[in-house]
């Protein structure tokens, strides 16, 4: 249902959207706070001018014409998550050992396979990461991901939104915050712990492999029992902060997109035409990759006799060879190349 | 309550009391007079209902589709001037939004403090926090990828005037069916994580999941003509993403690329043959054949994109940046 908002000074109608947190009246210039809950403890990062952003982009795109420009202020929380992880597990590691024997003046190589049970136990302390969470529901994609990564590495000094000089145009570029700090913290904890579980599982397998390596060369690690317990999880979030980003469409024959951050004018994502050399390079990579894997397969196939081993080698080398050719041709035929900062 | 037409039923808006008809299949209705969205079997239950703002009008969307087609390998070169606009329809596609927040605690060990800005848990279990975005119609009249996400763009309040501007699709699917599917999936994941976290402890579940509401999302469905043939383009009205595009192929542009791929396949065969000679690993003709086969998936993919009269481009969120343009 649409709602009607009026200016607190002149009572003129305000063009309010669900994203509006503050709006400047087009008739009297009065600043009207629609989301009064966001007036305090909300920060905004001042942007450099669109002329500066255009100039930076022009360095990269040369004489191509900019056809569309848009400034957006996106709401983010930067959540600092720290935790310890206590882990233990039982693994069976397959190890292979080659024995060289001499019989009747002939060298015989014998392969011995053993299955070594390994128990791994340990604890990581203070595993920390800073996670950017965009305060919008169901929003995602490359731009959000790259902007988040860039925020983490940037030296930014946001100011309180109430101290920010808002004009009518700027107030319309601000996207409303749809998540509160608690929701952002839950999202960040989920992401941090999911990454950590994957990391710890790999770490445990590596430890099991290292322990079993005294018996031979480790090949396969089978998990028998696993416990990964996150402990002492602590998360703190920055205040809700708005970051400016310019969205440009540019081109001549065909149209491309570019995202430039507003505070440091960094092109985080830039589409460019696919040059012919890039297409050829991908095809060449496909040829070389497929050839290398086919050759390895042939080399192995000429030295084994069992049909099962032959099938195994086919799965290990021929299927990836086919995938490499498919991947490289798909890369070569893509419509644009995307450069990320 | 049932209207004369068996496909529709009459309802009364709980807010402005206007009477109007809606298809019998819908779960939620939006009043064309005041814009209130409510649940049909529980009219007092109003929900969050927003629209994404249109930034690309009909001609912007057509121009964008045409200019994008020119970036595709093998597309007709003269599309810019040879193609002509036939018609465009604006669809507002309803989308359900779900917030899934599940936490599985190791029962006898957990200690949670959710004070503002900080969260401290002595022993964690499992958790899953996600937002799901699902089309609210069973067979959308426009081809939309399943993994399509919202862009960070402006929203606006629902206005009855948009009903005159385009095809406003009413949500048909029961939102709670999807809600249960996603909720169960997340509970399963969180419980699985908790079992790994504390295999010997009983686990308690905290579920704060909820159905958030409906958003209507604008898409342009465009038909254009080129040399007597008709082609279709679907363009995101909020951020201009080309979601679906049929485009004419020009053999004179596709043929060199197709020949290049054949050459690449033969080169792979020859190189594999040469390598097998160096390592004395296998029969030369089998080596050559194996090289050809290993490049065959690439060749097949390339030929399907380059040969024929017409090709179809489809946007997939998962291929953004790697193979497709960014949004």
């Amino acid at each position: 249902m649409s709602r009607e908002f009026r200016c607190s000074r002149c009572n003129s109608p305000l063009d309010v959207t669900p994203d509006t947190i503050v709006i400047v009246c087009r008739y009297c210039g009065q600043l009207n706070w629609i989301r009064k809950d966001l007036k305090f403890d909300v920060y905004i990062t001042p942007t450099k001018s669109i002329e500066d952003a255009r100039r930076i982009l022009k360095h990269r795109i040369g004489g191509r014409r900019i056809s569309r420009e848009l400034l957006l202020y996106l709401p983010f929380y930067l959540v600092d998550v720290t935790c310890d992880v206590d882990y233990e597990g039982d693994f069976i590691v397959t190890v292979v050992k080659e024995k060289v024997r001499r019989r009747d003046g002939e060298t015989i190589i014998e392969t011995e396979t053993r299955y070594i049970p390994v128990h791994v136990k340990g604890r990581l302390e203070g595993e920390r990461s800073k996670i950017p969470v965009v305060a919008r529901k169901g929003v995602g994609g490359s731009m959000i991901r790259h902007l988040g990564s860039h925020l983490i590495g940037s030296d930014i000094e946001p100011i309180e939104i109430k101290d920010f000089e808002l004009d009518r145009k700027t107030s319309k570029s601000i996207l409303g915050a749809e998540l509160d700090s608690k929701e952002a913290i839950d999202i960040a904890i989920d992401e941090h712990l999911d990454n950590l579980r994957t990391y710890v599982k790999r770490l445990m397998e590596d430890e099991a492999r290292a322990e079993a390596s005294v018996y031979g060369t480790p090949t396969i690690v089978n998990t028998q029992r696993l416990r990964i317990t996150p402990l002492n999880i602590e998360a703190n979030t920055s205040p809700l902060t708005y970051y400016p980003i310019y969205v440009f469409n540019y081109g001549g024959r065909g149209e491309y997109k570019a995202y430039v951050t507003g505070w440091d004018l960094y092109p985080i994502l830039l589409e460019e035409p696919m040059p012919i050399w890039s297409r050829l390079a991908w095809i060449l990579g496909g040829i070389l990759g497929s050839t290398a894997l086919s050759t390895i397969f042939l080399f192995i196939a000429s030295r084994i006799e069992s049909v099962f081993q032959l099938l195994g080698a086919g799965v290990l080398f021929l299927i990836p060879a086919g995938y490499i050719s498919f991947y490289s041709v798909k890369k070569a035929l893509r419509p644009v190349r995307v450069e990320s900062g | 309550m049932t209207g004369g037409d068996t496909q529709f039923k009459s309802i009364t808006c709980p807010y402005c009391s206007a009477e109007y008809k809606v298809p019998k299949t819908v779960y939620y209705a939006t009043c064309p007079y005041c814009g209130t969205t409510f649940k049909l079997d529980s009219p007092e239950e109003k929900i969050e209902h927003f629209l994404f703002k249109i930034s690309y009008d009909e001609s912007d969307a057509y121009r964008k589709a045409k200019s994008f087609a020119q970036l595709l390998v093998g597309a007709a070169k003269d599309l810019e001037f040879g193609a002509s606009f036939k018609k465009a329809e604006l669809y507002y596609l309803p989308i359900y939004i779900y917030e899934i927040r599940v936490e599985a605690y190791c029962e006898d060990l957990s200690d949670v403090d959710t004070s503002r800005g900080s969260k401290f848990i002595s022993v964690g279990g499992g958790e899953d926090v996600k937002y799901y975005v699902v089309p609210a119609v069973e067979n959308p009249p426009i081809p939309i990828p399943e993994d399509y996400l919202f862009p960070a763009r402006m929203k606006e309040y629902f206005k009855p005037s948009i009903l005159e501007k385009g095809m406003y699709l009413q949500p048909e699917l029961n939102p709670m069916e999807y809600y249960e599917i996603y909720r169960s999936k997340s509970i399963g994941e969180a419980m699985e994580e908790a079992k790994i976290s504390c295999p010997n402890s009983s686990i308690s579940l905290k579920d704060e999941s909820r159905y958030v509401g409906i958003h209507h999302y604008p898409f342009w469905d465009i038909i254009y003509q080129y040399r007597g043939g008709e082609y279709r383009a679907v363009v995101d009205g909020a951020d201009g993403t080309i979601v679906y595009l049929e485009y004419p192929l020009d053999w004179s542009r596709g043929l060199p690329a197709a020949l290049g791929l054949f050459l690449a396949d033969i080169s792979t065969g020859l190189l594999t043959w040469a390598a097998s000679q160096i390592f004395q690993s296998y029969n030369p003709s089998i080596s050559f054949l194996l090289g050809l086969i290993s490049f065959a998936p690439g060749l097949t993919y390339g030929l399907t994109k380059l040969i024929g009269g017409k090709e179809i481009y489809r946007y997939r969120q998962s291929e953004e940046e790697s193979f497709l343009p960014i949004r």
Side-chain angles (χ1 to χ4, degrees), chain A residues 19 172 178 229 259 330, chain B residues 154-155 197 281 319 327:
Chain A
D19 286 310
K172 288 193 154 218
E178 296 173 341
T229 315
Y259 288 97
K330 200 168 178 181
Chain B
M154 296 294 178
K155 295 175 186 176
S197 189
S281 52
E319 294 188 347
R327 291 185 67 191

Side-chain angles (χ1 to χ4, degrees), chain B residues 294-310:
Chain B
S294 69
F295 200 83
L299 177 68
T300 313
Y301 173 80
L303 293 183
T304 58
K305 294 280 152 195
L306 298 165
I307 305 295
K310 178 178 175 177

Side-chain angles (χ1 to χ4, degrees), chain A residues 19 68 136 142 146 172 178-179 182 186 190 194 197 228-230 232-233 235 259 271 302 330-331, chain B residues 60 101 118-119 121-122 124-125 127 129 131 153-155 193 196-197 281 319 321-322 325-327:
Chain A
D19 286 310
R68 189 181 269 260
R136 301 278 289 183
S142 292
H146 285 274
K172 288 193 154 218
E178 296 173 341
L179 306 185
K182 187 182 173 295
D186 285 345
D190 185 21
D194 285 351
R197 284 182 188 106
I228 302 173
T229 315
N232 304 327
I233 305 160
Y259 288 97
E271 283 178 1
S302 66
K330 200 168 178 181
K331 274 281 191 188
Chain B
D60 289 339
R101 290 157 58 82
S118 171
K119 183 164 189 172
I121 305 170
S122 65
E127 68 294 306
V129 186
Y131 285 91
R153 291 292 188 277
M154 296 294 178
K155 295 175 186 176
E193 287 174 354
I196 292 174
S197 189
S281 52
E319 294 188 347
E321 199 182 336
S322 312
I326 47 176
R327 291 185 67 191

Side-chain angles (χ1 to χ4, degrees), chain B residues 108-121:
Chain B
D108 48 341
L109 302 167
S110 63
D111 173 25
V112 186
D113 172 10
T114 52
S115 59
R116 189 178 174 279
S118 171
K119 183 164 189 172
F120 187 86
I121 305 170

Side-chain angles (χ1 to χ4, degrees), chain B residues 9-308:
Chain B
K9 59 180 168 187
S10 295
I11 55 168
T12 306
C13 173
Y15 188 73
C16 69
S17 304
E19 276 199 19
Y20 58 99
K21 286 180 180 177
V22 293
K24 278 182 174 174
T25 50
V26 303
Y27 281 85
Y28 287 85
T30 301
C31 174
Y33 303 98
C34 72
T36 302
T37 298
F38 58 96
K39 197 174 180 186
L40 286 190
D41 59 8
S42 170
E44 68 285 355
E45 194 183 312
K46 291 172 202 157
I47 55 154
E48 192 176 278
H49 186 189
F50 299 139
L51 304 174
F52 271 83
K53 201 170 182 173
I54 294 185
S55 296
Y56 283 76
D57 65 16
E58 184 179 289
S59 60
D60 289 339
Y62 171 57
R63 188 185 53 74
K64 175 99 183 166
K66 220 166 44 163
S67 78
F68 181 72
Q70 293 173 75
L71 302 176
L72 297 162
V73 179
K77 199 176 181 179
D78 61 342
L79 260 178
E80 177 70 28
F81 303 106
S84 59
F85 174 83
K86 190 180 177 192
K87 63 176 181 179
E89 188 92 63
L90 177 64
Y91 283 93
Y92 278 99
L93 189 77
I95 291 161
Y96 292 140
I97 302 179
Y98 303 110
E99 181 184 324
I100 305 294
R101 290 157 58 82
V102 177
E103 290 179 32
Y105 294 107
C106 301
E107 204 168 47
D108 48 341
L109 302 167
S110 63
D111 173 25
V112 186
D113 172 10
T114 52
S115 59
R116 189 178 174 279
S118 171
K119 183 164 189 172
F120 187 86
I121 305 170
S122 65
V123 175
E127 68 294 306
D128 199 30
V129 186
K130 279 193 188 90
Y131 285 91
Y132 286 99
V133 172
V134 187
V137 287
E138 194 152 17
N139 296 306
I142 40 176
I144 306 298
E146 275 182 15
D147 56 354
Y148 205 66
L149 291 170
F150 283 160
R153 291 292 188 277
M154 296 294 178
K155 295 175 186 176
E156 55 189 351
Y157 291 111
F158 180 84
K159 287 177 272 191
S161 59
I162 72 140
L163 298 173
E164 294 153 18
K165 289 181 189 162
M167 295 286 286
Y168 175 81
L169 303 172
Q170 296 277 5
E172 290 172 359
L173 302 174
N174 181 352
M176 298 324 282
E177 270 178 36
Y178 278 103
Y179 172 72
E180 283 307 326
I181 291 170
Y182 292 124
R183 192 175 147 267
S184 310
K185 190 167 161 254
S186 284
I187 288 174
E189 281 175 25
M191 293 295 278
E192 196 57 41
E193 287 174 354
K195 276 180 201 159
I196 292 174
S197 189
C198 45
N200 301 319
S201 164
S202 53
I203 296 160
S204 64
L205 196 71
K206 185 177 165 196
D207 180 7
E208 292 179 318
S209 307
R210 68 190 182 102
Y211 164 53
V212 175
I214 301 173
H215 283 37
H216 269 83
Y217 200 92
F219 289 100
W220 287 102
D221 191 6
I222 297 166
I223 303 292
Y224 70 96
Q225 291 173 314
Y226 175 79
R227 295 193 178 174
E230 280 197 356
Y231 302 87
R232 187 181 187 194
V234 175
V235 182
D236 182 316
D239 75 349
T241 300
I242 310 295
V243 173
Y244 174 93
L245 180 68
E246 295 171 356
Y247 59 98
L249 289 172
D250 180 347
W251 69 268
S252 65
R253 294 188 80 202
L255 194 62
L259 289 175
L261 289 177
F262 271 116
L263 198 65
D265 197 19
I266 291 167
S267 305
T268 310
L270 288 173
L271 283 171
T272 310
W273 168 79
S276 73
Q277 296 307 293
I278 294 166
F279 296 111
Q280 296 177 340
S281 52
Y282 233 83
N283 178 302
S285 48
I286 291 180
S287 306
F288 177 70
L289 194 66
L290 206 72
L292 288 186
I293 292 169
S294 69
F295 200 83
L299 177 68
T300 313
Y301 173 80
L303 293 183
T304 58
K305 294 280 152 195
L306 298 165
I307 305 295

